[in-house]
Amino acid sequence: MTTTDIDERSRVGAAGGDARLAPFGDPADHRRPPQRRDPAARRDAAAKRREARRRLDGLRDHVTASVMRRVLAILVALFLGVAVFQLFAPRLGAPIDAAWHDRQAGAILIGACAAIGVFVALTIASASRSGVELLHRLGIHSTPENRAVLAAGSWFAAAALGVHFSAAAFNPVPGGQWAVAVVLGGGLALAVFCLHRVAVHDHAYRTFNLAALTLAAGSIASMSLTGTGSWWALNFSTLGTTDDAAAFSFNAGAVLSGLAMVLLARALTSGLAAPRYGASAGGIRVVRVCIVLLGLCLAGVGLVPIDTATDLHNAFALGAAVCFAVPAVGLRLLVRAAPLRLVVLSVAFVLVEAAAMVLYDGLHVFSLTVFEIIAFSLIFVWLIALTVMSREPGTIKATATDAAGAALAALHVAQRGVSRGVKVLRVEFPVILAQERKPDDTALEHVPKARGIPR
């Protein structure tokens, strides 16, 4: 064989190899042009991605709110337990004898029982769907109505205790503290009952309700412990200036409720972020930033007592008012299709707060304490209204299944991410098991083999 024959065969083999590898040759000859989707398909895909992201955020908010509800329920129970203890404890200056010890022990027992009762009531009232199912398995049948009764009863107790520990402030009122306790506590309990009954399935509302109650309970515990005398003639912030348990209760309530507001900012505005309201990402971001700043300002009020740095304390209080007024007044600009009732209520609340400011600072009709009660009550009520009114009718009850839906959305997104990078070979598990199963001496040996299984 000559060298020419070898070269000839090499060329023929090379040609044959090139022919066989033709499909995998130059990519430029066989690459298909990328298929571009039409604008409508791209918009639809982007909308689906936003919806999946929103549901995943909802899942994270659901978990965060679940942990917060447990912590806040414990804190509220402790604060109100302290107040009940102070209600029955012997007065300062009483002679310490056997009767004093008996009354002290009785007050401790009553306070502990009250704390346990409040904790159980709030746990049932703010329980999630899984918690309600657990209660049913334990034989405790829970309905939205009896859960609303428990929530309303907790608020009535808080209002009655608050009026009792500031009774001297209501002496000019006809009927005194008893009339104020019945009217204020009854009205508050009725409002909470009506709201809780329809919004009990919304985890954001249930959690924020406990955040508001934490601020109230911390203030009431401070009222029961303080020795500042007629603090209501000055302002609420006086409760946090005594450097004792009373100041700690007030400041801790303010800080914890403010931090809860910060953590719940996204959950509170999730209804407004729904596509039906046509809100831009920037508008929702402005509302959430204002709520976060509002919570930080409330926490700052507790972290900086008024006797420590008066100007900074007042700056935090003023910042809270501004952070409430900006999204309330500009809600229609930030969210174009916001519910009309919510827009009207927001503007009305700002007008009421401005009128209260004029009556306090301009006309001196009432004290700073009354103005602070009005201002912070409006803020918390507005945030609850923001949460509830922005839900589409019928979706509040469906919120109980949001966690499952969000989990499915997360699984779907994960599957799509895997399928893009990996070519999945689908094999039926019964076939795999049948291939690897070996016959043994049991009755399974006589079962006919499945057809179509490759050998």
Side-chain angles (χ1 to χ4, degrees):
M1 182 181 293
T2 62
T3 306
T4 306
D5 295 335
I6 295 176
D7 294 338
E8 185 71 21
R9 292 182 180 182
S10 300
R11 285 194 297 268
V12 172
D18 291 342
R20 286 191 301 269
L21 297 176
F24 304 92
D26 188 3
D29 298 335
H30 304 283
R31 184 182 302 168
R32 294 181 180 179
Q35 295 180 356
R36 294 184 178 180
R37 292 182 295 181
D38 57 285
R42 289 199 298 271
R43 286 194 299 268
D44 184 64
K48 289 181 179 179
R49 287 194 298 271
R50 286 194 300 269
E51 179 65 17
R53 192 180 302 112
R54 186 181 70 85
R55 293 176 71 85
L56 290 174
D57 291 341
L59 177 60
R60 287 192 290 266
D61 293 339
H62 187 87
V63 175
T64 302
S66 179
V67 176
M68 290 175 58
R69 284 195 298 272
R70 289 165 173 79
V71 175
L72 294 176
I74 294 174
L75 293 173
V76 172
L78 290 176
F79 285 143
L80 293 184
V82 169
V84 173
F85 164 76
Q86 289 294 112
L87 182 64
F88 292 95
R91 299 299 94 189
L92 294 176
I96 301 177
D97 51 12
W100 185 93
H101 287 290
D102 292 341
R103 187 170 181 179
Q104 186 80 357
I108 294 174
L109 180 60
I110 295 174
C113 292
I116 295 173
V118 169
F119 175 74
V120 172
L122 293 178
T123 300
I124 296 175
S126 61
S128 60
R129 185 180 181 182
S130 58
V132 172
E133 292 176 354
L134 177 61
L135 292 174
H136 287 178
R137 287 195 296 269
L138 295 176
I140 303 175
H141 296 285
S142 176
T143 63
E145 286 73 20
N146 57 34
R147 296 173 69 184
V149 169
L150 294 175
S154 301
W155 275 102
F156 179 83
L161 288 172
V163 172
H164 171 77
F165 289 114
S166 56
F170 303 103
N171 288 335
V173 179
Q177 60 169 320
W178 296 104
V180 174
V182 171
V183 173
L184 179 61
L188 187 60
L190 180 61
V192 172
F193 174 81
C194 296
L195 180 61
H196 203 87
R197 186 179 58 174
V198 299
V200 68
H201 298 286
D202 187 356
H203 71 90
Y205 159 74
R206 295 196 310 272
T207 310
F208 191 72
N209 178 58
L210 288 177
L213 190 54
T214 300
L215 178 62
S219 301
I220 292 165
S222 180
M223 294 177 196
S224 68
L225 295 168
T226 189
T228 55
S230 302
W231 56 267
W232 53 84
L234 300 174
N235 50 58
F236 252 111
S237 300
T238 305
L239 293 172
T241 60
T242 53
D243 297 329
D244 55 6
F248 174 79
S249 299
F250 176 80
N251 294 329
V255 171
L256 293 172
S257 59
L259 293 180
M261 193 181 298
V262 171
L263 296 175
L264 289 172
R266 185 169 57 191
L268 294 173
T269 57
S270 61
L272 286 179
R276 61 182 176 275
Y277 293 127
S280 63
I284 295 297
R285 192 174 295 112
V286 169
V287 177
R288 289 176 178 171
V289 168
C290 288
I291 294 176
V292 169
L293 294 177
L294 174 58
L296 293 177
C297 288
L298 180 58
V301 169
L303 290 173
V304 184
I306 194 170
D307 62 336
T308 302
T310 304
D311 293 338
L312 183 58
H313 179 91
N314 293 334
F316 280 128
L318 180 61
V322 172
C323 292
F324 156 67
V326 169
V329 173
L331 186 60
R332 179 64 79 176
L333 298 177
L334 299 172
V335 183
R336 295 191 302 272
L340 181 60
R341 292 184 303 166
L342 181 59
V343 174
V344 173
L345 186 67
S346 302
V347 175
F349 279 8
V350 174
L351 293 178
V352 170
E353 186 170 355
M357 183 66 184
V358 172
L359 292 175
Y360 153 67
D361 195 29
L363 303 178
H364 305 286
V365 175
F366 45 71
S367 65
L368 178 58
T369 303
V370 177
F371 172 74
E372 289 175 335
I373 293 175
I374 295 174
F376 282 100
S377 298
L378 290 175
I379 290 173
F380 278 90
V381 172
W382 179 74
L383 288 173
I384 291 176
L386 181 71
T387 304
V388 176
M389 289 186 177
S390 60
R391 305 292 196 227
E392 189 177 4
T395 58
I396 291 182
K397 292 185 177 182
T399 312
T401 60
D402 278 354
L408 292 176
L411 181 60
H412 177 66
V413 171
Q415 288 177 342
R416 289 184 57 188
V418 171
S419 62
R420 287 176 181 174
V422 180
K423 183 178 180 181
V424 180
L425 179 62
R426 298 182 178 179
V427 182
E428 296 182 359
F429 286 104
V431 175
I432 298 176
L433 295 176
Q435 286 179 339
E436 297 183 353
R437 180 182 300 152
K438 296 181 180 180
D440 50 18
D441 295 333
T442 63
L444 294 177
E445 182 180 355
H446 306 288
V447 177
K449 296 181 179 179
R451 295 182 180 179
I453 300 177
R455 296 295 183 184

